Amino acid sequence: MRSIIDTLDLTTQELDELIAAAEDIIAHPKQYRDKCNGKKLATLFYEPSTRTRLSFEAAMYELGGQVLSVPGADLSSAAKGESVADTAKTVSCYADIVAIRHFSEGAALVAARNASVPVINAGDGGHCHPTQTLADLLTIHREKGRFDHLTVGLCGDLKYGRTVHSLINALSRYQGVKFILISPEELKLPEYVKTEVIEKHGLAFEETVSLEEALPCLDILYMTRIQRERFDDIETYNRLKDSYILTAEKMRSASADCKVMHPLPRVNEISVKVDEDPRACYFKQVENGKYMRMALILKLLFENGEKTAQENYFHNAVCKNPRCVSSTEQELEPLFKRSADGSTVRCAYCEQIAESES
Amino acid sequence: MRSIIDTLDLTTQELDELIAAAEDIIAHPKQYRDKCNGKKLATLFYEPSTRTRLSFEAAMYELGGQVLSVPGADLSSAAKGESVADTAKTVSCYADIVAIRHFSEGAALVAARNASVPVINAGDGGHCHPTQTLADLLTIHREKGRFDHLTVGLCGDLKYGRTVHSLINALSRYQGVKFILISPEELKLPEYVKTEVIEKHGLAFEETVSLEEALPCLDILYMTRIQRERFDDIETYNRLKDSYILTAEKMRSASADCKVMHPLPRVNEISVKVDEDPRACYFKQVENGKYMRMALILKLLFENGEKTAQENYFHNAVCKNPRCVSSTEQELEPLFKRSADGSTVRCAYCEQIAESES
Amino acid sequence: MRSIIDTLDLTTQELDELIAAAEDIIAHPKQYRDKCNGKKLATLFYEPSTRTRLSFEAAMYELGGQVLSVPGADLSSAAKGESVADTAKTVSCYADIVAIRHFSEGAALVAARNASVPVINAGDGGHCHPTQTLADLLTIHREKGRFDHLTVGLCGDLKYGRTVHSLINALSRYQGVKFILISPEELKLPEYVKTEVIEKHGLAFEETVSLEEALPCLDILYMTRIQRERFDDIETYNRLKDSYILTAEKMRSASADCKVMHPLPRVNEISVKVDEDPRACYFKQVENGKYMRMALILKLLFENGEKTAQENYFHNAVCKNPRCVSSTEQELEPLFKRSADGSTVRCAYCEQIAESES
């Protein structure tokens, strides 16, 4: 029994196998339409996300399974103060596999540690959203035929963008990937991602504030949204925002095979005029997300893999992250892990740096 | 690929075929229970309507298909500011056909123009609700065996009643239909419906404020609700409302085969005492609605019809309707159409009279 | 056509048959997975309850049927002021069987009297929740192998606890059952339950305020939650609450085969440390609830039983219960019944004592 909380729970080989499985599903859909007969997927969405929920549900239906749907928090037992752990134990009596989305960071790990069926993290607050990253990876693979030796532009909010950090983590496993980090000063990629991920893997990156300058050299442009809330003063926001909106004009300076991606939903950061551009791939990402979820559901239901290997957790530290599930979940066993070099201690649930007791 | 935004998108012949199809489904349900195996219907209800949503979902299940359900707006990506167009493009990756209900007039047309699968309008604000009208028509056909030469009483709010206008439009295509318009002064049928629809088709109508007087001569009585909100002063409302409530007493003056219809939900405009009356057909309408939706789903999924013929839209006009989707949808191409005689210009989305620029 | 509003609608024999049916489903699940092909269950939850809704939906899917889901009140036509009766008549056009949960006491009876398909009460306010009791009974039968000659401890809120009253009613039908009533003074079991149920069946009970004292002699400990709202002064609540929290320590004094039950959701009344104790059965109750719902759905859909026998209702009394559906439902026929000895008159909907007119 195996759960997926983070894309990094998957080895590079497993990732390649999932990509291959998804591409086989795309090639031979009929061969898969009865694979999950008699199986049930529960979609527990404490936080509404129609796109992600419908993607999981469509995936299960295309595999011949059924769906138990919990579309929003107000509809869940959470309203009655039930813990995530109890909900996970309960839903294990109803479903064969669970996809959970929750506003608390680490909630998916709590669910996975208590459920008796596989759990897929469909987004736990600002922490992880692995199936979005799987959708991004399948899109890159189908559009480019490879993951290595690509110049990947990441544009917009690189400071808080969960999908950006996750994609960098996943691509850093491959050779010769170069990242062009396009953002305003206020929203630059955090230092630790540059040092602990990109540089640690011996990969190169450049930082720029200009989308126009970066565009010509990109194999992939990954756009994200810049949220007004991120800025202290509205002037800065208004001065900056337009320069990070992708228009048909700007696309003229991009190379003929530069693929444009976006996790969606978009607001105005990509003009709808760009949708007709054959290089626009963001709606292909939506479809690819469904196929990767099908591949993932099959893997977790039918591969008799081990439960995710227990890391050597320890308990005597303190997580001060108010968005961490450990701040609300009752009687939750505190879990912490130390970085390879032993320098930092992180909460196992939200992966924020914790304060060690001693 | 074909979508249905308005009942008038269907020719009289297509309408007759749909009626025949629905009656065949009623006669041989078993023959249809696997027609949609492997197909998915998405019910996108930005505005909750349990009755309409469950009718579509029951229809799809009785055809052997599956359902992706979005029961309410707060559950949709709209909360994150996603446009109707993007939602339509996204859901096209998950479903084979979409039923959309939205509070904005014209939202269904926006969805249909952007989806890559058929779209059915399940109600777009005060604009259209074609499947309700299809339910009304099947009920009339099953109860009366014909559409022509009927005296149809329409009672209640004829000014704002969407279903009333739509039913008049549909019935005006048939010979010898006579409309008895029963309403208070404040809620009379708009002039343009009388002139542009009823009279234009050479049909007769009478107006009266008295339900009692009208009842004896009716083949069909179509009741609608009178909402307090429609009146400036509560006195007028209180003085009028009871006279438009159908009771068992009033039914005594109706003919033996006068069929009583209501789009539902009712509040108090028809006494529950009338429910046992064999002439009461409003719950039959509910059932007929399911069968017409089944027939419509089959038509749109399996008839390789052309995409709804492009009207000659033009762009240089302005829609001032605040309830029109064009007032909120991002980067929406403005579309306008001119009436046959060229006298009026209407917004293609909400069909309200627009101000032409020139 | 038969509906279930209260556990007592079932005879002891029917109850035993349901238990046997559920145990056969558990033993041979594959034999049941197509029993409901082509059938639809509607889950009408005016009041959200994820646990109960998913249990019904999982039950229907495991029988091969489909589900029409209404997860919350704001999503129902109730928002438009539709009566429970009209909703029941409408949903009868879509579904083959209905499970309804409603905040008004008696709403399920109103639905059953108006639906043309079987109705299952999934909880009507503080009145009844029969499928919870069926889950409790199956759990007791699977864990103990019998219902008679058991010492059953009921702990917590015995005054308002709906499930407690219902379980006492059900177990009082069996020989030699002894109840140990464990609660603070403020939340003691109501007198009429002691006299009209326990004593009337010639059964014994003891009352105590101490969980510790009661524990050693129990075959079953049924825990319920003590809600702060139940106390006038917070001091009393704080003084009492911990003594009614079950901990691993307290479990040491319980017998080796004392089974611990709880209707869930729990908040903190049972420490999660107890979950690993083999005597903890509250998550088994969740699973048993699904199997009893499967058995009940099959019974109602396929046994051509009579409609629940009409009691001799009379009309000339008044129900003063503000939580009763009769206080809100339009044009509802008032129904009252007199106790066997004729001493009391109760509303047939909410079963509260009514004031007779005369």
Side-chain angles (χ1 to χ4, degrees):
Chain A
M1 214 278 298
R2 174 85 181 273
S3 290
I4 301 298
I5 305 309
D6 185 343
T7 321
L8 300 180
D9 295 343
L10 298 161
T11 65
T12 309
Q13 190 198 325
E14 286 179 312
L15 209 51
D16 296 343
E17 289 166 358
L18 273 178
I19 297 277
E23 291 176 341
D24 191 66
I25 291 168
I26 293 166
H28 314 290
K30 286 204 171 81
Q31 292 178 18
Y32 291 85
R33 68 182 174 193
D34 296 319
K35 292 278 188 201
C36 290
N37 283 173
K39 300 287 185 185
K40 295 187 244 74
L41 163 73
T43 49
L44 291 187
F45 278 54
Y46 288 75
E47 175 182 68
S49 173
T50 303
R51 174 187 317 281
T52 305
R53 179 173 62 88
L54 293 193
S55 181
F56 272 104
E57 297 182 354
M60 192 56 169
Y61 286 135
E62 293 188 22
L63 291 168
Q66 284 290 15
V67 172
L68 295 168
S69 188
V70 181
D74 57 319
L75 307 182
S76 89
S77 302
K80 296 180 193 159
E82 183 171 64
S83 68
V84 172
D86 278 11
T87 300
K89 286 174 178 171
T90 297
V91 173
S92 298
C93 300
Y94 304 147
D96 303 286
I97 184 166
V98 174
I100 180 171
R101 189 186 191 93
H102 199 285
F103 41 83
S104 293
E105 301 172 6
L109 181 59
V110 172
R113 289 172 57 89
N114 287 278
S116 54
V117 299
V119 170
I120 301 173
N121 182 4
D124 56 341
H127 177 224
C128 285
H129 188 7
T131 56
Q132 174 64 55
T133 304
L134 293 176
D136 297 343
L137 292 171
L138 178 59
T139 304
I140 292 171
H141 196 265
R142 292 184 72 190
E143 297 298 321
K144 292 296 182 181
R146 69 182 198 280
F147 291 123
D148 53 5
H149 301 91
L150 292 171
T151 301
V152 180
L154 301 156
C155 177
D157 179 350
L158 308 188
K159 184 174 180 183
Y160 303 97
R162 174 178 63 180
T163 53
V164 166
H165 301 177
S166 188
L167 185 59
I168 290 174
N169 262 297
L171 288 176
S172 292
R173 296 165 157 192
Y174 298 92
Q175 295 292 316
V177 175
K178 181 177 180 183
F179 298 101
I180 312 296
L181 309 173
I182 310 155
S183 76
E185 268 308 313
E186 294 80 353
L187 297 174
K188 283 174 67 174
L189 190 71
E191 274 312 311
Y192 77 87
V193 181
K194 297 178 202 161
T195 53
E196 291 177 33
V197 183
I198 302 178
E199 289 176 344
K200 187 170 145 214
H201 287 81
L203 296 177
F205 69 88
E206 284 174 21
E207 294 186 296
T208 171
V209 297
S210 164
L211 173 56
E212 282 88 338
E213 280 176 28
L215 258 172
C217 68
L218 302 178
D219 296 312
I220 288 161
L221 170 59
Y222 195 96
M223 295 291 297
T224 65
R225 182 176 167 204
I226 290 186
Q227 293 166 287
R228 177 177 280 115
E229 310 84 85
R230 302 303 192 191
F231 292 84
D232 307 336
D233 62 309
I234 189 69
E235 288 72 19
T236 322
Y237 172 75
N238 289 330
R239 175 169 48 75
L240 289 170
K241 70 177 200 303
D242 290 354
S243 59
Y244 297 100
I245 292 179
L246 186 65
T247 61
E249 291 62 43
K250 288 181 187 153
M251 279 304 289
R252 293 207 194 88
S253 64
S255 72
D257 61 356
C258 170
K259 303 299 186 176
V260 179
M261 299 173 64
H262 188 297
L264 302 181
R266 72 173 152 187
V267 175
N268 66 345
E269 54 273 27
I270 300 179
S271 162
V272 298
K273 305 282 188 308
V274 177
D275 297 5
E276 280 71 56
D277 191 313
R279 296 170 292 182
C281 294
Y282 30 93
F283 288 109
K284 290 181 182 172
Q285 274 170 280
V286 174
E287 189 150 34
N288 290 329
K290 179 183 70 180
Y291 293 120
M292 280 305 263
R293 289 176 177 103
M294 290 172 75
L296 186 58
I297 289 168
L298 287 173
K299 176 183 175 64
L300 297 181
L301 278 178
F302 300 112
E303 275 184 25
N304 39 23
E306 297 309 298
K307 186 149 192 163
T308 315
Q310 285 298 340
E311 308 187 43
N312 333 358
Y313 292 132
F314 61 99
H315 310 293
N316 58 332
V318 179
C319 176
K320 292 282 184 70
N321 173 8
R323 300 176 309 283
C324 179
V325 67
S326 62
S327 68
T328 53
E329 181 82 355
Q330 292 164 30
E331 293 187 71
L332 182 67
E333 179 185 41
L335 296 179
F336 300 91
K337 49 189 180 183
R338 188 166 270 107
S339 60
D341 64 4
S343 63
T344 58
V345 169
R346 292 183 177 275
C347 170
Y349 298 104
C350 66
E351 298 188 87
Q352 294 296 304
I353 295 201
E355 299 177 9
S356 43
E357 295 168 338
S358 50
Chain B
M1 215 278 298
R2 174 83 181 273
S3 290
I4 301 297
I5 306 308
D6 185 343
T7 320
L8 299 180
D9 294 344
L10 298 161
T11 65
T12 309
Q13 190 196 329
E14 285 179 312
L15 210 49
D16 296 342
E17 289 165 358
L18 273 178
I19 299 276
E23 291 175 342
D24 191 64
I25 290 167
I26 294 165
H28 314 290
K30 286 205 172 79
Q31 293 179 17
Y32 291 85
R33 67 181 175 193
D34 296 319
K35 292 277 189 203
C36 290
N37 283 172
K39 301 286 186 185
K40 294 186 245 77
L41 163 73
T43 49
L44 292 187
F45 278 54
Y46 288 75
E47 175 181 69
S49 174
T50 304
R51 174 187 316 282
T52 305
R53 180 173 63 87
L54 293 193
S55 180
F56 272 105
E57 297 182 354
M60 192 56 169
Y61 286 135
E62 294 187 22
L63 291 168
Q66 284 289 16
V67 172
L68 294 166
S69 189
V70 182
D74 57 320
L75 306 181
S76 89
S77 302
K80 294 179 193 159
E82 182 171 65
S83 68
V84 172
D86 278 11
T87 300
K89 286 174 178 171
T90 297
V91 173
S92 298
C93 301
Y94 304 145
D96 302 287
I97 184 166
V98 174
I100 181 172
R101 188 186 192 94
H102 199 285
F103 40 82
S104 293
E105 300 173 5
L109 181 59
V110 172
R113 288 172 57 88
N114 287 278
S116 54
V117 299
V119 171
I120 301 173
N121 183 5
D124 57 340
H127 178 225
C128 285
H129 188 8
T131 55
Q132 175 64 56
T133 305
L134 293 176
D136 298 343
L137 292 171
L138 179 58
T139 305
I140 292 171
H141 196 264
R142 292 184 72 189
E143 298 297 321
K144 292 294 180 182
R146 68 182 199 279
F147 290 123
D148 54 6
H149 300 90
L150 292 172
T151 301
V152 180
L154 301 156
C155 177
D157 179 350
L158 307 187
K159 184 173 181 184
Y160 304 96
R162 174 176 64 179
T163 53
V164 167
H165 301 176
S166 188
L167 185 59
I168 289 174
N169 263 298
L171 288 176
S172 292
R173 296 165 157 193
Y174 298 93
Q175 296 291 317
V177 175
K178 181 176 180 183
F179 298 101
I180 312 296
L181 310 172
I182 309 155
S183 76
E185 268 308 313
E186 294 81 354
L187 298 173
K188 282 174 67 174
L189 191 70
E191 275 312 310
Y192 77 87
V193 181
K194 297 178 202 160
T195 55
E196 293 178 31
V197 183
I198 301 177
E199 290 174 346
K200 187 170 146 214
H201 287 82
L203 296 177
F205 69 87
E206 284 174 23
E207 294 187 296
T208 171
V209 296
S210 164
L211 174 56
E212 281 89 339
E213 280 174 27
L215 258 173
C217 69
L218 303 178
D219 296 312
I220 288 161
L221 170 59
Y222 196 96
M223 296 292 296
T224 64
R225 182 176 167 203
I226 290 186
Q227 293 167 287
R228 176 177 282 116
E229 311 84 82
R230 302 304 191 191
F231 292 84
D232 306 336
D233 62 308
I234 190 68
E235 287 73 18
T236 322
Y237 171 76
N238 289 329
R239 175 169 48 75
L240 289 169
K241 70 177 200 303
D242 290 354
S243 59
Y244 296 100
I245 292 179
L246 187 65
T247 60
E249 291 63 42
K250 289 181 187 153
M251 280 304 289
R252 294 207 192 88
S253 63
S255 72
D257 62 355
C258 170
K259 303 299 185 177
V260 179
M261 298 172 65
H262 188 297
L264 303 182
R266 73 175 151 184
V267 176
N268 65 346
E269 55 274 24
I270 300 180
S271 162
V272 298
K273 305 281 186 311
V274 177
D275 297 5
E276 280 72 56
D277 190 314
R279 297 170 291 181
C281 294
Y282 30 93
F283 288 108
K284 289 180 182 174
Q285 273 170 281
V286 175
E287 189 150 32
N288 289 329
K290 180 183 70 181
Y291 292 120
M292 280 304 264
R293 289 175 176 104
M294 288 171 77
L296 187 58
I297 288 168
L298 287 172
K299 176 184 175 63
L300 297 181
L301 278 179
F302 299 112
E303 276 184 22
N304 39 24
E306 297 309 297
K307 185 150 192 163
T308 315
Q310 285 296 341
E311 308 187 44
N312 326 357
Y313 293 132
F314 62 98
H315 310 293
N316 58 334
V318 179
C319 176
K320 292 282 184 68
N321 173 8
R323 300 177 309 282
C324 179
V325 67
S326 62
S327 68
T328 53
E329 182 82 355
Q330 292 164 30
E331 292 187 71
L332 181 67
E333 179 184 39
L335 296 178
F336 300 91
K337 50 190 180 182
R338 189 167 266 105
S339 61
D341 62 6
S343 62
T344 57
V345 169
R346 292 183 177 276
C347 171
Y349 298 104
C350 66
E351 299 188 86
Q352 293 297 303
I353 297 207
E355 298 177 9
S356 43
E357 297 167 337
S358 50
Chain C
M1 214 279 297
R2 175 84 181 273
S3 289
I4 301 297
I5 306 307
D6 185 343
T7 319
L8 299 180
D9 295 345
L10 298 162
T11 64
T12 310
Q13 191 198 327
E14 286 180 312
L15 209 50
D16 295 343
E17 289 165 359
L18 273 178
I19 298 276
E23 291 176 340
D24 191 67
I25 291 168
I26 293 166
H28 314 290
K30 285 203 170 83
Q31 292 179 18
Y32 290 85
R33 68 182 175 194
D34 295 320
K35 292 277 187 202
C36 289
N37 283 172
K39 301 287 184 184
K40 295 186 244 75
L41 163 73
T43 49
L44 292 187
F45 278 54
Y46 288 75
E47 176 181 67
S49 173
T50 303
R51 174 187 317 283
T52 305
R53 180 174 63 86
L54 293 193
S55 181
F56 272 105
E57 297 182 354
M60 192 57 170
Y61 286 135
E62 294 187 22
L63 291 167
Q66 284 290 17
V67 172
L68 295 167
S69 188
V70 181
D74 57 319
L75 305 182
S76 89
S77 302
K80 294 179 193 160
E82 182 171 65
S83 67
V84 172
D86 278 11
T87 299
K89 286 173 177 171
T90 298
V91 174
S92 298
C93 300
Y94 303 146
D96 302 286
I97 184 166
V98 174
I100 181 172
R101 189 187 191 93
H102 198 284
F103 41 82
S104 293
E105 300 173 4
L109 181 59
V110 172
R113 287 171 59 88
N114 287 277
S116 55
V117 299
V119 171
I120 301 173
N121 182 5
D124 56 341
H127 178 225
C128 286
H129 188 7
T131 55
Q132 175 64 55
T133 305
L134 293 177
D136 297 343
L137 292 171
L138 178 58
T139 304
I140 292 171
H141 196 264
R142 292 184 73 190
E143 298 297 322
K144 292 295 181 181
R146 69 183 197 277
F147 291 124
D148 53 7
H149 301 89
L150 291 172
T151 301
V152 180
L154 300 156
C155 177
D157 179 351
L158 307 188
K159 184 174 181 183
Y160 302 99
R162 174 176 63 179
T163 53
V164 167
H165 301 176
S166 188
L167 185 58
I168 290 174
N169 263 297
L171 288 176
S172 292
R173 295 165 157 193
Y174 298 92
Q175 295 293 315
V177 174
K178 180 177 179 184
F179 298 102
I180 310 297
L181 309 173
I182 310 155
S183 75
E185 268 308 312
E186 294 81 352
L187 298 174
K188 282 173 68 175
L189 191 70
E191 275 311 311
Y192 77 88
V193 181
K194 296 178 203 163
T195 55
E196 292 178 33
V197 182
I198 301 178
E199 288 174 345
K200 187 171 146 215
H201 287 82
L203 296 177
F205 68 88
E206 284 173 23
E207 295 187 296
T208 171
V209 297
S210 164
L211 174 55
E212 281 88 340
E213 280 174 27
L215 258 173
C217 67
L218 302 178
D219 296 312
I220 288 160
L221 170 60
Y222 195 96
M223 294 292 296
T224 65
R225 182 177 168 204
I226 290 187
Q227 292 166 289
R228 177 178 282 116
E229 310 85 83
R230 302 303 191 191
F231 292 85
D232 306 336
D233 61 309
I234 189 69
E235 287 73 17
T236 321
Y237 171 75
N238 289 330
R239 175 169 48 75
L240 289 169
K241 70 178 201 301
D242 290 353
S243 59
Y244 297 100
I245 292 180
L246 187 65
T247 60
E249 291 63 42
K250 288 180 187 154
M251 279 304 289
R252 292 206 194 87
S253 64
S255 71
D257 62 355
C258 170
K259 303 299 185 176
V260 179
M261 298 173 64
H262 188 298
L264 301 182
R266 72 174 153 187
V267 175
N268 66 344
E269 55 272 26
I270 300 180
S271 162
V272 299
K273 304 283 186 310
V274 177
D275 296 5
E276 279 72 56
D277 190 314
R279 295 169 294 180
C281 294
Y282 29 94
F283 287 109
K284 289 181 182 172
Q285 273 170 280
V286 175
E287 189 149 34
N288 289 330
K290 180 183 71 180
Y291 292 120
M292 279 306 262
R293 289 176 177 105
M294 289 172 76
L296 186 58
I297 288 169
L298 288 173
K299 175 184 177 62
L300 297 181
L301 278 179
F302 300 112
E303 275 184 24
N304 39 24
E306 297 309 297
K307 186 150 193 165
T308 315
Q310 285 297 340
E311 308 189 44
N312 327 357
Y313 293 132
F314 61 98
H315 311 292
N316 58 332
V318 179
C319 176
K320 293 281 183 69
N321 174 6
R323 300 176 309 283
C324 179
V325 68
S326 62
S327 67
T328 53
E329 181 82 354
Q330 292 164 31
E331 293 187 70
L332 182 68
E333 179 185 40
L335 296 179
F336 300 90
K337 50 189 180 184
R338 189 166 267 105
S339 60
D341 63 5
S343 61
T344 58
V345 169
R346 291 181 179 276
C347 171
Y349 298 104
C350 66
E351 298 188 90
Q352 293 297 303
I353 296 204
E355 299 178 9
S356 42
E357 297 166 337
S358 51

